[in-house]
Amino acid sequence: MKAIEIRDIVKVYNKSVKAVDGVSFDVDEGIVFGLLGPNGAGKTTIIKMIVTLLSMTQGHVSVLGHARPKEDYFIRNCIGYVPQDVSSDAALTGYENLLISAKLYGHRGRAAKEMCEAILHQLGLWEARDRIVKTYSGGMIRKLEIGQAMVHDPKVLILDEPTIGLDPVARKQVWASIRELKDRTKMTVIITTHYMEEADQLCDMIAIMSIGKIAVIGTPTELKASAGTGSIVLEIKGTPPEFPGARFENGVLTIPSDDCARELPSCVAKVASSGCEILSARIKEVTLEDAFVKHVGTRIDEMDQWSSVRKTRKLARRMA
């Protein structure tokens, strides 16, 4: 069984704005599937249609065999959802937030207590369990929100921009928590992200999105391979020997290579033996951003794109 099946979904707002335009894809069970794209690409709209928060204008969505909209109740009970916006109560402790979530899913008494304690241990929040959430760092809050989505032991965990607004250290802490969770539980994880490194590090499969459509789907390795080969870059003095497909401009020799690490020593040796002085040597691997540019035609502009979200999350903590 597929964890998620989506066929030709369309979402139109105000009878004219097409936020999602004929998107289709499947998500296998037990993988991390990423929707990668800039703000406005339609990622969050797709997620909200999967988690039953939005209806489709047309198309088909099913989760673990349950079809929308007739089986929305069953879908809500087999998924965990962490939205972009703050979903924990900053005026309560971490433990209290988890306990409320557990009770909302019908857990009571000792069972609820033991479940909350287990999640706090798993996410590395045990020592902070009795602290008010507004004193938590951004990374701790995001891990707590993931914990709140886990209290009913979901088969599918959906994370909408899981590290949005976090500093690089906190971001990598959340990545580690997601990887550990997926490996331990074997659950299916779906994330939306605009971070190339995040998609590359976490996802088994990635759908690159732009303007309501999917441009391409593949594994990180497949997507990067579709963007071409890597290259060995040597800064030199002198005239270098010839290499197939190489470019030499302004003292920089760029040699295309399918296996840069293996071929680097022989390239350096060949250039050095020709009498050139090598000033520096580096490898330029093909990145997921290269694949994004190839299939979408532009880069994701991150200039202040998420500043308002960071401000919102900080304000929510201060006002608690």
Side-chain angles (χ1 to χ4, degrees), residues 27-287:
V27 179
D28 292 331
E29 287 188 295
I31 71 167
V32 179
F33 185 93
L35 292 171
L36 173 65
N39 192 24
K43 307 186 303 296
T44 294
T45 301
I46 290 174
I47 290 300
K48 286 186 175 181
M49 287 190 282
I50 293 173
V51 302
T52 77
L53 291 177
L54 279 179
S55 60
M56 294 87 69
T57 303
Q58 66 184 58
H60 168 80
V61 173
S62 68
V63 180
L64 295 173
H66 301 297
R68 292 211 60 207
K70 290 185 178 180
E71 298 180 280
D72 282 0
Y73 173 81
F74 299 99
I75 291 174
R76 292 172 190 143
N77 279 278
C78 65
I79 63 171
Y81 172 49
V82 181
Q84 288 185 26
D85 298 327
V86 176
S87 58
S88 58
D89 191 327
L92 301 178
T93 66
Y95 176 78
E96 289 168 339
N97 270 282
L98 281 174
L99 189 60
I100 289 173
S101 296
K103 288 182 176 180
L104 287 173
Y105 278 98
H107 299 290
R108 297 288 186 272
R110 178 173 292 277
K113 179 176 182 292
E114 290 177 351
M115 177 173 292
C116 293
E117 290 177 352
I119 290 173
L120 287 164
H121 279 294
Q122 290 162 11
L123 295 178
L125 295 174
W126 178 251
E127 298 300 324
R129 65 191 182 281
D130 294 324
R131 282 172 47 192
I132 301 297
V133 169
K134 69 179 179 181
T135 68
Y136 281 17
S137 68
M140 292 170 69
I141 291 176
R142 209 55 172 159
K143 288 195 286 185
L144 177 64
E145 291 168 340
I146 293 171
Q148 289 176 259
M150 291 168 47
V151 294
H152 59 301
D153 192 25
K155 303 302 180 186
V156 178
L157 180 63
I158 299 176
L159 309 172
D160 194 2
E161 295 284 357
T163 61
I164 191 168
L166 301 184
D167 62 73
V169 173
R171 191 178 302 155
K172 290 182 179 181
Q173 290 174 347
V174 173
W175 293 353
S177 295
I178 294 171
R179 280 195 295 265
E180 189 279 330
L181 176 65
K182 180 254 184 182
D183 291 342
R184 178 170 48 80
T185 65
K186 308 303 180 186
M187 71 169 59
T188 305
V189 181
I190 301 174
I191 70 169
T192 70
T193 184
H194 67 283
Y195 294 123
M196 300 293 173
E197 186 183 5
E198 181 162 89
D200 201 0
Q201 290 284 328
L202 289 179
C203 298
D204 301 301
M205 293 290 293
I206 299 169
I208 292 179
M209 292 196 64
S210 177
I211 319 175
K213 295 179 178 289
I214 289 180
V216 64
I217 297 178
T219 67
T221 300
E222 289 169 345
L223 294 177
K224 286 183 283 188
S226 73
T229 62
S231 55
I232 295 166
V233 181
L234 304 177
E235 183 182 359
I236 65 176
K237 285 185 178 181
T239 301
E242 292 186 359
F243 291 88
R247 300 191 320 273
F248 182 56
E249 298 176 351
N250 300 319
V252 177
L253 176 64
T254 303
I255 308 166
S257 172
D258 291 320
D259 192 346
C260 296
R262 183 178 63 82
E263 294 182 357
L264 175 61
S266 61
C267 289
V268 168
K270 182 175 179 179
V271 172
S273 65
S274 72
C276 294
E277 180 184 356
I278 299 175
L279 304 177
S280 68
R282 63 185 175 89
I283 290 173
K284 183 181 183 299
E285 300 285 4
V286 178
T287 67

